[in-house]
Amino acid sequence: MKTSNLGYPRIGSNREWKRALEAFWKRELTEASFLQQMEQIRLANLQKQKDMGIDIIPVNDFTLYDHMLDMAVMFGLVPKRFEAAKNPISLYFGMARGKQEAVACEMTKWFNTNYHYIVPEWEDRTPRLVENKPLTAYKEAKEKLGIEGKPVIVGPVTFIKCAKGYLPEQEDTLLSQLVPLYCRILQELEQAGAQWIQIDEPIFVTSLSEEELTASKKIYEQFHKASSGLNIMLQTYFESAEHYKEIIQFPVQGIGLDFVHGEKTLDEMRMHGFPEDKVLGAGILDGRNIWRANLSQKQELILQLEELAASERIWIQPSCSLLHVPVSAKHEHSLPQELYNSLAFADEKLEELRLLSSPSQQEAIKKYDDALYLLNSSPARNRTEVLWEVEKAQGKDLKRNQPYMNRKQKQQEVWNLPLLPTTTIGSFPQTAEVKQARGKHKRGEWTKAQYDQFVKNQIEKWIKIQEDIGLDVLVHGEFERTDMVEFFGQKLNGFAFLENGWVQSYGSRCVKPPVIYGDVDFSEPMTVNESVYAQSLTDKPVKGMLTGPVTILNWSFVRDDISRENVCYQIANALQKEVLALESAGITMIQVDEPALREGLPLKKSKWQHYIDWSVNCFLLTTCAVKETTQIHTHMCYCDFNEFLGVISKLDADVISLETSRSHGELVSAFTWQSYEKGIGLGVYDIHSPRIPEIEEMRVMIEKTLEVLHEDQMWVNPDCGLKTRNISETIQSLKNMTAAAALVRKKEAVS
Ligand SMILES: Nc1nc2c(c(=O)[nH]1)N[C@@H](CNc1ccc(C(=O)N[C@@H](CCC(=O)N[C@@H](CCC(=O)N[C@@H](CCC(=O)O)C(=O)O)C(=O)O)C(=O)O)cc1)CN2
Ligand SMILES: [Zn+2]
């Protein structure tokens, strides 16, 4: 048996990667020293895996921003609007982050994760091989560290399915253009002496048509013909392979399967066998979560696998790239006692692989199994009063006391909003000053009172700014929050938080997902003070602002001893108390964000309905107990909503804001074939880019939307929160946005 890894976190154990990138963008680092720092991080990551004794080490999993963007650039798929870029680096980051003269490429969720990739755009061009990046990475590891690496690339079927800018009927042509380029990559690797390549095809865990499957097999036959000396590990993850029987017959030398998130994987293998001549990449450790595995159970699993495949042809590995977990648990020093020996981040998972693959490790294995036993018997996990309360709450009729149309009228009487009301999504710039203030409070240099006063000053400043800009519905700005999920985790019971548990979310941006380890319940109001304070400063409505239950669930590391559905109901039950606390404090416009609701949708269609049922119910449990005059808002971003409007409607929120600007036309066209009656704001500008949108382009966007939506259901807002932008970008962009709304309003009033 061998140990293998599918990908290692890029960010470095102290987020060195993030810091280097951001310093470079701010021109505090020259290109040469930036690239040198990146090389150092890349090599250190590889050396670490070598030192940990991993047999098969991935290379080319590292990137300067995103691995899908790397693939697009490698194939010369550069949208025309970026062609003027002066050098390859500014072209690359231009595509990722946008330029004043060109909007950034779209960014979207990588399957069902909180990682976002840059969507390749085809634009009628013929791909070409600009640089064999896997080869460069292979040679670097070999020459500099003596590592015989396994280059990783995204496979052609997944790459095309995750790209845009072509018609469905063009897919075959595009594939036939791409395949020869992949073949060249493989041949050059073979010539350089590479033994293995890992070709990631997570798309194979979703349903493909029979034709697509046949076409996929043909592609792999061509790969085999082109480079018969290079071994291909065809890697699937995040679920069981949908077409197991067919895929194991592909002419490749190894098949990588997910035994953690693919509940059916082992059964499929038992039923259909596993080819004797292939290597089994057995993904047995959870690459998406941070709990130590029950190693004796994993030993049993390995024994079962050895009955189905020869031991020397098994690689044990994480279920997916370790990109989705933090680097190392050894930096955590303030956890509840029962968590200390039960956490496994990337490094600990590699250590688990070593324990499982070497003989006579029973003592260490017992130590960790005992820790898991201790965790499961912790009082925090066994709070019967929480279980009873949640059961009771779930049993109630989860719906608003009046239908939408009645609410709408009554709410308009209360708020008297103008046509096309303008608002923002919640957060304002988390400037260095804001982060430093939190740092001072955390280190004890500032008292709580000093910090609270700082937050109040920020709120006051931004209420004034919003009034000056002329926005109709204001927000307090979320200055008290590190992150929209971490913040609630810190205030609810049942959560633990990490000091250094950073995971990349997109580009240089990282999150520190809280850890849900116990039963969740409400302890005290979490957002009331700030909202009430903000409302006291203005006559305009200020929206209360909280994160919804499904998003808290999906962006946390969740205990795996009870179902996610159960945990979500616990969170929803706790959040309902917050909503009611806001309402009784006089905050009667309340936004409950659910940006991760769509991302949590299972990859397999057969599981959708169940997920939709409970996630919608959890949102309703959180929001439905308010009066008819209380206006519930929600917000979603980073995904394709075209097929999701039915679900969105079931949430029964009075107003929803959706991110759309990077793919505006596509969403707008979705409203031509399905109807949506409630309040809705389609984001009119991209907030991920430092670029300031022009009045005119937003005016056009609003008018386009008016072709498919009714003027008195429409709101005007940016795509998402503004925490990643700086102050002047934010003010200038919002001024332009309100000016654009005013122009359209004027025109509507005349017509
Ligand atoms: N959980 C989550 N997922 C999400 C989103 C989200 O908002 N949250 N949004 C979408 C996009 N993803 C995003 C993810 C992260 C960020 C983001 O801005 N992250 C920040 C970190 C936010 C944070 O927790 N900040 C802390 C820590 C800040 C920090 O780095 N402090 C300084 C120290 C400052 C000092 O003490 O002087 C340091 O460590 O260097 C704080 O504000 O307190 C970043 O990477 O920069 C934005 C969007 C989808 N998924
Ligand atoms: Zn958002």
Side-chain angles (χ1 to χ4, degrees), residues 15 18-19 22 107 109 114 116 430 432 434-440 443 481-486 502 505-506 508-513 555 595 599 637-638 688 720 723-724:
R15 286 184 299 156
K18 168 201 177 62
R19 289 181 220 281
E22 290 176 1
M107 166 167 91
K109 302 266 177 195
N114 192 9
H116 308 69
Q430 288 273 333
V434 173
K435 291 183 189 176
Q436 278 159 12
R438 211 162 11 252
K440 283 184 208 157
R443 289 190 297 271
R481 306 182 187 179
T482 47
D483 170 73
M484 58 186 289
V485 169
E486 195 186 18
W502 295 99
S505 179
Y506 73 87
S508 71
R509 296 286 170 172
C510 301
V511 292
K512 197 143 42 70
W555 289 352
E599 122 194 355
C637 47
Y638 306 103
H688 291 102
C720 185
K723 64 182 175 191
T724 59

Side-chain angles (χ1 to χ4, degrees), residues 419-421 664 667-669 671-672 676 680-682 684 698-716 740-749 751:
L419 211 56
L420 308 174
H664 196 258
L667 185 62
V668 169
S669 66
F671 288 103
T672 57
Y676 189 82
I680 184 162
L682 301 186
V684 295
M698 290 189 279
R699 186 190 64 79
V700 170
M701 237 187 222
I702 299 170
E703 293 201 331
K704 271 240 139 54
T705 319
L706 277 172
E707 289 169 14
V708 293
L709 290 174
H710 201 271
E711 59 184 31
D712 64 52
Q713 72 179 135
M714 233 180 84
W715 288 61
V716 174
L743 285 176
V744 182
R745 245 180 230 165
K746 223 195 229 154
K747 196 167 141 199
E748 291 292 310
S751 65

Side-chain angles (χ1 to χ4, degrees), residues 425 484 555 593 595 635-638 657 659 687-688 719-721:
I425 307 302
M484 58 186 289
W555 289 352
D593 293 323
H635 160 74
M636 294 185 184
C637 47
Y638 306 103
S657 55
E659 175 237 59
I687 55 88
H688 291 102
D719 266 353
C720 185

Side-chain angles (χ1 to χ4, degrees), residues 244-458:
Y244 177 87
K245 224 167 62 192
E246 291 79 16
I247 284 169
I248 56 168
Q249 298 306 333
F250 278 26
V252 293
Q253 292 64 47
I255 307 278
L257 300 169
D258 183 335
F259 288 85
V260 179
H261 296 272
E263 299 133 23
K264 283 193 333 210
T265 306
L266 186 59
D267 288 344
E268 296 260 17
M269 215 176 140
R270 284 207 182 101
M271 196 156 28
H272 304 292
F274 189 81
E276 273 177 23
D277 57 346
K278 288 190 177 39
V279 169
L280 170 66
I284 60 172
L285 297 181
D286 191 349
R288 298 281 298 272
N289 213 334
I290 48 152
W291 305 108
R292 274 196 184 269
N294 182 318
L295 293 176
S296 10
Q297 275 173 16
K298 299 296 174 189
Q299 284 178 318
E300 273 166 40
L301 173 60
I302 292 172
L303 288 178
Q304 290 171 344
L305 295 177
E306 283 172 337
E307 284 170 18
L308 301 161
S311 183
E312 63 278 12
R313 275 195 298 276
I314 296 178
W315 296 356
I316 53 170
Q317 54 192 29
S319 62
C320 59
S321 165
L322 295 175
L323 173 67
H324 308 287
V325 290
V327 175
S328 162
K330 75 168 183 276
H331 309 288
E332 302 304 323
H333 305 291
S334 42
L335 291 168
Q337 194 53 39
E338 60 264 51
L339 290 187
Y340 275 105
N341 279 323
S342 28
L343 296 183
F345 300 176
D347 288 354
E348 288 76 21
K349 288 187 195 291
L350 298 179
E351 184 201 344
E352 290 184 326
L353 288 179
R354 196 173 53 195
L355 289 176
L356 287 169
S357 69
S358 20
S360 56
Q361 296 288 342
Q362 277 327 103
E363 213 171 294
I365 288 181
K366 184 164 181 318
K367 174 176 130 193
Y368 292 125
D369 286 355
D370 287 349
L372 285 183
Y373 179 80
L374 187 76
L375 176 61
N376 279 329
S377 39
S378 152
R381 273 197 178 183
N382 298 278
R383 301 185 49 197
T384 39
E385 75 281 14
V386 174
L387 302 191
W388 284 338
E389 195 182 298
V390 172
E391 213 169 283
K392 208 169 100 199
Q394 270 174 271
K396 294 205 182 117
D397 194 12
L398 298 175
K399 62 174 209 271
R400 297 285 297 268
N401 61 2
Q402 292 211 12
Y404 171 71
M405 281 305 173
N406 299 6
R407 296 186 330 245
K408 178 178 173 171
Q409 198 192 343
K410 292 194 172 145
Q411 289 169 13
Q412 187 52 14
E413 282 162 21
V414 177
W415 303 111
N416 197 21
L417 292 169
L419 211 56
L420 308 174
T422 52
T423 189
T424 63
I425 307 302
S427 56
F428 282 127
Q430 288 273 333
T431 54
E433 188 194 6
V434 173
K435 291 183 189 176
Q436 278 159 12
R438 211 162 11 252
K440 283 184 208 157
H441 175 41
K442 211 169 120 193
R443 289 190 297 271
E445 294 161 24
W446 271 10
T447 61
K448 177 161 185 331
Q450 273 174 302
Y451 176 65
D452 289 349
Q453 189 55 49
F454 172 85
V455 171
K456 276 185 148 183
N457 295 345
Q458 291 291 318

